[in-house]
Amino acid sequence: MNDVERAITRAHQDEWARVVAGLTRRFDDLDIAEDAAAEAFAIAVERWSRDGVPPNPGAWIHLTASRKAVDRMRRENKRDDKHKHAQLVYENVPAEPVGAIDDDRLRLIFVCCHPALAMNARVALTLRMVGGLTVAEIARAFLVTESTMGQRITRAKAKIKAARIPYRVPSDADLPDRVSGVLAVLFLVFNEGYLATGPHADPVRADLTAEAIRLTRLLRDLMPDDGEVAGLLALMLLTEARRASRISVDGELVPLAEQDRGAWDAVLIAEGHRIVRERLAAAAAGVAPGRYQILAAIGAVHTSARDMRDTDWSQVLALYDQLVTLDPSPIVELNRSVAVAELDGPEAALATVDRLEKSLSDYHAFHATRADVLRRLGRTQDARAAYDRAIDLAGNTAETASLRRLRDRLR
């Protein structure tokens, strides 16, 4: 990656969400805002390669996008009041109040997670506008096709426009109705950073995991009594603690059972365990834990074991049983089957996994889990076929390399 590419990448990460949200507020048109931002970055690729990177890349992007938005509005003969809005771009407009949230990016996530939209739609739209994820990455997170996700985002934009849903700064009273969507966005951004889904992406994107943790810490400061906010932070910390041991020197994804636990970040683990203990105390006092708190508790069990063989699988299974009642999704059932295999044997796990085939037939982790269970049952030919299917569906090269190694070890 050359200097121009690095500068454009940094500008995109830092400025895309602010440019789109700012133009949307001023022009009341999300499509124009996104198109103008995209055009500004396209021009940057051409001009910066020729003329060099400007002294202030962010300001350059903002100004170029603003001008392109004005040009488009004029071309489309928008109403007179729209022209007045366009002129505000070039005037010294007083800064808008930040409301309850000081951080720009966290505030934008709350702005976009409007409760008038269905949960999946608001999360997908926010990931696109603020999270910086591509439509393909968002589609893989939701286990749908790219075209389906593109249509979902387009419909969300259309509903915003038709219902005239305001992009306004949320007040303290707005936060509880929006926090579940915000947590889902942060969780999915973290997941994309922890194991990127794209075939050509770096396996681990530390910039995304760090940003997700930073924003979740801010959210916890903002809503200290929300158990799910605390649970998500603990889950992220306990997962991030294992990052250094997840990719081998050969560029392969390292399974949990083979990771060097001495390389795990003890500071992050201690902080995550402390939060989990706090939430367990709250549960003992009658406050039922939510999805993220249970996932964090599962992470705490794994990071408490000095060796894979020391893992308290009965506790893991009990937690998954609790999670299934809150989130009876196929992926939760698939993850639960790993604990079933450890406690009740691979044959019982295979029965659970095979029931999920219709829902997860295009999900690489389903076939990888099934391959491992078949291997343990001695069904080598079936395991090889399952690994082949997982390799065909896997995302990044590190995961593909790991699956190939597991397949090639079969005898």
Side-chain angles (χ1 to χ4, degrees):
M1 184 180 291
N2 59 36
D3 291 342
V4 171
E5 290 172 335
R6 278 193 290 270
I8 291 173
T9 299
R10 283 196 300 270
H12 190 281
Q13 292 171 345
D14 295 341
E15 305 299 338
W16 174 269
R18 282 192 281 269
V19 169
V20 171
L23 294 179
T24 300
R25 286 196 300 270
R26 290 187 169 89
F27 300 118
D28 194 25
D29 195 313
L30 180 58
D31 290 333
I32 284 180
E34 286 197 325
D35 289 347
E39 193 171 355
F41 278 100
I43 294 171
V45 172
E46 176 187 353
R47 293 192 183 175
W48 295 6
S49 299
R50 184 185 66 228
D51 303 332
V53 179
N56 190 335
W60 192 99
I61 292 290
H62 276 254
L63 181 59
T64 303
S66 298
R67 287 173 174 168
K68 290 302 174 183
V70 172
D71 290 344
R72 175 169 167 176
M73 291 188 73
R74 286 172 175 163
R75 286 196 305 268
E76 295 181 2
N77 295 317
K78 293 290 184 178
R79 297 186 300 273
D80 290 342
D81 62 327
K82 297 289 186 179
H83 287 289
K84 293 177 183 178
H85 281 300
Q87 299 306 317
L88 293 177
V89 176
Y90 301 107
E91 296 176 2
N92 293 322
V93 181
E96 296 184 14
V98 299
I101 308 165
D102 290 334
D103 183 82
D104 287 343
R105 190 173 292 269
L106 184 59
R107 184 166 61 253
L108 286 171
I109 294 174
F110 267 99
V111 167
C112 294
C113 285
H114 198 286
L117 297 174
M119 179 60 75
N120 281 350
R122 77 179 83 157
V123 171
L125 184 62
T126 308
L127 286 170
R128 183 75 185 98
M129 285 184 61
V130 187
L133 271 62
T134 66
V135 174
E137 290 168 341
I138 300 168
R140 287 190 288 267
F142 281 86
L143 301 184
V144 299
T145 65
E146 187 172 348
S147 61
T148 297
M149 181 52 65
Q151 292 168 5
R152 188 177 295 176
I153 293 173
T154 299
R155 286 195 297 269
K157 293 179 183 178
K159 179 169 183 178
I160 289 171
K161 185 180 296 186
R164 301 192 64 81
I165 296 173
Y167 276 85
R168 62 178 179 80
V169 176
S171 65
D172 289 319
D174 294 323
L175 303 188
D177 289 338
R178 303 191 183 202
V179 69
S180 58
V182 172
L183 290 173
V185 168
L186 296 176
F187 179 59
L188 291 174
V189 169
F190 180 87
N191 282 352
E192 181 62 29
Y194 192 66
L195 183 60
T197 57
H200 305 297
D202 290 336
V204 175
R205 296 182 58 187
D207 59 322
L208 289 183
T209 58
E211 180 67 354
I213 291 173
R214 183 186 74 85
L215 293 172
T216 308
R217 287 189 186 280
L218 291 176
L219 185 55
R220 193 184 184 208
D221 291 340
L222 188 66
M223 306 180 73
D225 297 326
D226 191 301
E228 282 293 81
V229 174
L232 180 58
L233 178 58
L235 174 62
M236 288 181 178
L237 295 174
L238 294 173
T239 308
E240 178 73 359
R242 298 190 285 110
R243 177 165 57 88
S245 63
R246 293 185 69 248
I247 305 297
S248 72
V249 293
D250 297 325
E252 289 186 13
L253 183 69
V254 181
L256 178 63
E258 300 176 17
Q259 289 177 16
D260 176 9
R261 301 191 175 212
W264 291 356
D265 190 320
V267 174
L268 291 182
I269 290 174
E271 183 180 1
H273 284 186
R274 183 171 63 252
I275 297 173
V276 169
R277 286 194 298 270
E278 291 172 0
R279 299 319 308 163
L280 289 174
V287 181
R291 174 173 179 256
Y292 297 113
Q293 294 170 75
I294 297 173
L295 286 171
I298 294 170
V301 175
H302 284 299
T303 51
S304 296
R306 291 173 295 180
D307 186 271
M308 186 74 170
R309 292 167 295 186
D310 297 330
T311 304
D312 187 346
W313 289 107
S314 61
Q315 188 175 2
V316 172
L317 183 58
L319 288 167
Y320 270 119
D321 288 341
Q322 192 175 359
L323 182 59
V324 166
T325 63
L326 294 177
D327 182 14
S329 72
I331 292 180
V332 172
E333 291 279 6
L334 181 66
N335 293 334
R336 178 183 176 275
S337 72
V338 176
V340 171
E342 296 294 335
L343 283 175
D344 301 329
E347 190 168 349
L350 182 62
T352 299
V353 171
D354 282 347
R355 287 197 298 269
L356 305 172
E357 184 170 10
K358 185 176 180 180
S359 302
L360 300 177
S361 60
D362 293 329
Y363 183 40
H364 74 280
F366 165 78
H367 297 282
T369 303
R370 189 169 184 272
D372 184 64
V373 173
L374 291 167
R375 175 192 63 80
R376 295 171 65 172
L377 287 170
R379 294 170 54 179
T380 303
Q381 187 173 351
D382 292 336
R384 182 178 294 276
Y387 274 126
D388 285 339
R389 181 60 176 153
I391 290 166
D392 289 340
L393 294 170
N396 63 58
T397 55
E399 198 163 19
T400 302
S402 177
L403 290 168
R404 284 202 180 101
R405 178 174 60 84
L406 293 171
R407 180 199 60 189
D408 294 344
R409 284 198 316 201
L410 291 173
R411 296 289 184 269

